[in-house]
Amino acid sequence: MLNVLRVTGSSLAPRAVPAYRPEVPSAHALVAPTVRAMAVAAPPTVARIASCALWGLEAALVTVEVDVANGLPAFSIVGLPDAAVSEARERVRAAVRNSGFEFPLRRVVANLAPAERKKEGTGFELAIALGVLRATGQIAVEIGALCLGELALDGRVRPVRGVMPRVRGALGAGVTDVVCAAENAAEAAAAGAYAVGVTTLREAVAHLSGEAPRAPTAVPPSAPAPRAAVDLADISGHETPKRALEIAAAGGHSLLLVGPPGTGKTLLARALPGLMPPLDPDEAVIASAVHSVAGLVDPARPLLAARPFRAPHHTASHLALVGGGSPPRPGEVSLAHTGALFLDELPEFSRHVLDTLREPLEEGAITLSRAAAAATYPARVTLVAAMNPCPCGHAGDPAAACTCLPDAIERYHARLSGPLMDRIDLRVHVPRLAYEELRDEGRESSRVVRDRVLAARERMRARLAGTGRGSNAEMTVAEVRAHCRLDDAASALTREAMRSRRLSARGFHRVLRVARTLADLAGSDRIRGDDVALAVLLRGAA
C-alpha cells in the first residue's frame, strides 16, 4: 500500500508529536521522565538550528538556516563552507532517506550564518539534517539545542573534534542543551552542558520531538592521576640537576641538561612530571580543550588528570612542533600547555624548527595566521631539553677523549640560536658518575620534593592572585619589579653578574624570577643573596 502525503500550500502537513524539550532525570534516577509542554508549530518558512564553528580554541555560534522552496530539485550549502562542509550535501541526503524520512524533491538551501567567516569540518551535518526535517514538517517542534555531529550514509551520528571548546563557547552564549554523537557526550557533559548522546539521526529526532526522550549524560568521573614513570629516588647522585628539576617544577622555568651520553639526562627529564603540581579545574579544561581539537581525548574520561608531558622526536617539523596545516591544528608546544615539553638531543632539531619556539616560550601562546583565518592556541609550557656537549658527546669528559674538531663543535653549538638560549633559565651539567655514587642509597623521593613544590606554588598563587598567572616564570616585568626587590648585597651580586656574564635585560629578569622561586622554596618572603648567587650559577653552569 502506498503512503500518501497530504500537501498543504508549499509544505508538508505536520504530524502531531510531543513537544521538545523533555525533562529527563539523570541516568541514576529510577523515576519516569516527564515532558515539558510546548505548542506544536507549523513548519516554518526557514528552519533555524544552532551549531558551532571553531577557529583554534575560539568558538562562535553558527545558525544553520534551511529553506525548502518550490523549484527544480537541488541542495545547496552556502555561508563560506570549506570542501568538507560542501560534501555534506550527499551525506545528509543519504542519511535522511536511510533513516526513514523523506528528503524533499524541491529546492533546498542551507545557510551557515554568519557568512563572513569560513566554516570548516563535518560538525554541521546533524544540524543541517535536522533543519531539513524541521523545514518540511517532519519535526513539528522548535529545536533549541546545540547540534553537533557528522552523519554516515546510513544515518549514524559520528563524533567530531573540538566538542569541548565548542560547548564552552555555546554555554557562554546562553545555549545549555547539546545533542551530539554518543562518543562526544561525556566531553560535552564535562564542559558543563546538558548533553544528550545519540547514535543515529532517528534517535536524535525521537529525542528532540519528545517521542523517545533520552537521559542526559552524567559528568564523567575524573581519571586517577597516573603514576610517575621515574622517581627521583631511583636516580643516583646528580644532586645539582635534581635541584634544578625542583626549581623548574616549582616556578615553571625552562631547563637545559648538558652532559656526555648515558649520564642520565633523559632519566632526569622524565622524572619532572612526578614533581609538578596537579592541574586545577580551569587548567584541566583548557588543556583538555586543546587535546579535543587535536582529537586526542579519551571519550570515557575527557578531562586530563595530570599535566601533559610531550616528547617529540628530533625529526619533527615546525608544523608538528608549533602547529599548522589547513585548518590550523595545535602542535606539540600547545598539546603540552600547562605541562612539560621535552626536547631530547636538542641540537639534532632543525635550527629553523627550534627558532619557532621563541615566541611561544616568551608569550605563552601561539597564533597561526593563514589567508582565510587565524587560530590562537595556548602554549604555556615548561621546556626541558637535553644535549651532548659536542657531536661525539665527550667534550670535557675526564673519562673519555673527545674526537671532534673545534670547528665541528662550533657548528654543533651554532644550531642553537642566541635568542633561544637566552630564553632558557637553567643550564645544568650532568656529569659522569663514579661507582660509589651509583651505589648511593637514602635519596629523596619525588613525593618529598613535590611537597616542597606544592608549598612554593601556593605562595606564588597567593602573590599573583587576580592576575591570571600562577607561577614565577609567568610574571611580567612590572611584577618582577614589585615582587623581586633585592637588598644591597644581592644587588651588588646581580650587578657583577650582569657585567661578567653579559646578561641581557631578558636574562636579568629571568635570573630574578629564578631567585624568587628559590626564596619561595625556602619559605622566605624576601630574596636573599644566596638565592641570587644560585640563580646566576644555574643560568651558566653548563
Side-chain angles (χ1 to χ4, degrees), residues 425-501:
D425 300 330
L426 309 169
R427 308 168 193 173
V428 181
H429 182 60
V430 184
R432 188 185 300 274
L433 295 178
Y435 174 78
E436 291 74 17
E437 292 177 292
L438 287 173
R439 300 289 296 173
D440 180 41
E441 299 292 343
R443 297 171 292 273
E444 272 190 325
S445 67
S446 292
R447 182 176 180 179
V448 173
V449 176
R450 190 170 186 255
D451 289 339
R452 292 200 297 267
V453 168
L454 293 176
R457 276 291 177 110
E458 287 301 319
R459 298 176 67 88
M460 297 175 201
R461 286 175 179 166
R463 184 185 307 118
L464 299 173
T467 65
R469 290 175 285 278
S471 67
N472 288 336
E474 302 174 40
M475 285 194 297
T476 64
V477 173
E479 290 165 349
V480 169
R481 290 176 177 173
H483 303 304
C484 300
R485 298 185 180 275
L486 306 177
D487 57 24
D488 293 340
S491 295
L493 182 60
T494 307
R495 186 183 307 111
E496 177 61 23
M498 286 281 294
R499 184 191 63 80
S500 61
R501 295 182 180 268

Side-chain angles (χ1 to χ4, degrees), residues 40-412:
V40 176
T45 304
V46 176
R48 293 178 175 85
I49 310 294
S51 191
C52 195
L54 196 64
W55 302 279
L57 288 186
E58 177 191 354
L61 281 182
V62 171
T63 302
V64 179
E65 302 173 333
V66 179
D67 175 67
V68 179
N70 293 329
L72 293 176
F75 187 12
S76 303
I77 298 178
V78 298
L80 217 58
D82 70 347
V85 180
S86 298
E87 291 174 353
R89 294 174 299 177
E90 302 306 322
R91 288 191 291 270
V92 168
R93 182 185 285 113
V96 168
R97 289 175 175 170
N98 292 329
S99 297
F101 301 102
E102 293 290 335
F103 193 90
L105 296 177
R106 300 159 66 189
R107 182 174 179 81
V108 180
V109 178
N111 177 44
L112 309 181
E116 60 184 7
R117 297 197 67 172
K118 191 170 185 178
K119 317 303 187 304
E120 299 164 336
T122 58
F124 304 101
E125 295 175 10
L126 177 60
I128 294 173
L130 292 172
V132 171
L133 297 177
R134 173 68 182 127
T136 56
Q138 297 177 77
I139 297 178
V141 296
E142 293 293 338
I143 298 174
L146 181 77
C147 300
L148 299 171
E150 176 186 336
L151 291 178
L153 298 183
D154 59 358
R156 287 181 293 117
V157 181
R158 290 173 172 163
V160 295
R161 296 181 179 184
V163 166
M164 187 174 293
R166 293 178 204 249
V167 171
R168 292 179 68 226
L171 291 173
V175 180
T176 59
D177 294 4
V178 177
V179 175
C180 59
E183 294 86 345
N184 290 142
E187 195 175 336
Y194 180 98
V196 173
V198 295
T199 58
T200 65
L201 176 60
R202 177 162 285 280
E203 283 185 6
V205 172
H207 168 75
L208 292 170
S209 63
E211 294 177 357
R214 300 176 65 83
T217 301
V219 177
S222 299
R227 184 177 180 181
V230 179
D231 194 287
L232 286 183
D234 300 327
I235 304 176
S236 302
H238 293 321
E239 296 307 320
T240 299
K242 287 194 283 190
R243 177 64 169 161
L245 279 177
E246 180 181 348
I247 298 168
H253 304 289
S254 50
L255 169 64
L256 174 63
L257 303 170
V258 183
T263 55
K265 301 184 295 296
T266 302
L267 193 66
L268 284 162
R270 294 194 176 277
L272 180 63
L275 307 181
M276 302 184 78
L279 286 167
D280 63 39
D282 291 338
E283 289 176 330
V285 169
I286 295 175
S288 300
V290 177
H291 283 69
S292 174
V293 173
L296 299 178
V297 296
D298 181 358
R301 289 186 171 93
L303 284 179
L304 295 182
R307 295 183 183 271
F309 182 85
R310 306 290 299 185
H313 192 259
H314 64 259
T315 57
S317 67
H318 72 279
L319 295 179
L321 200 59
V322 300
S326 183
R329 299 292 185 196
E332 293 290 341
V333 70
S334 295
L335 293 173
H337 176 65
T338 71
L341 176 66
F342 176 43
L343 303 182
D344 204 0
E345 305 295 344
L346 185 65
E348 300 301 328
F349 285 82
S350 165
R351 175 167 176 160
H352 169 65
V353 171
L354 292 177
D355 281 344
T356 59
L357 291 175
R358 286 154 55 177
E359 290 81 2
L361 291 178
E362 193 72 23
E363 303 297 333
I366 181 152
T367 298
L368 306 172
S369 299
R370 298 295 181 266
T376 299
Y377 292 105
R380 181 67 66 185
V381 301
T382 299
L383 175 67
V384 183
M387 62 176 286
N388 296 326
C390 66
C392 77
H394 297 295
D397 187 358
C402 176
T403 60
C404 301
L405 296 175
D407 61 338
I409 297 178
E410 185 176 350
R411 287 195 303 271
Y412 184 74

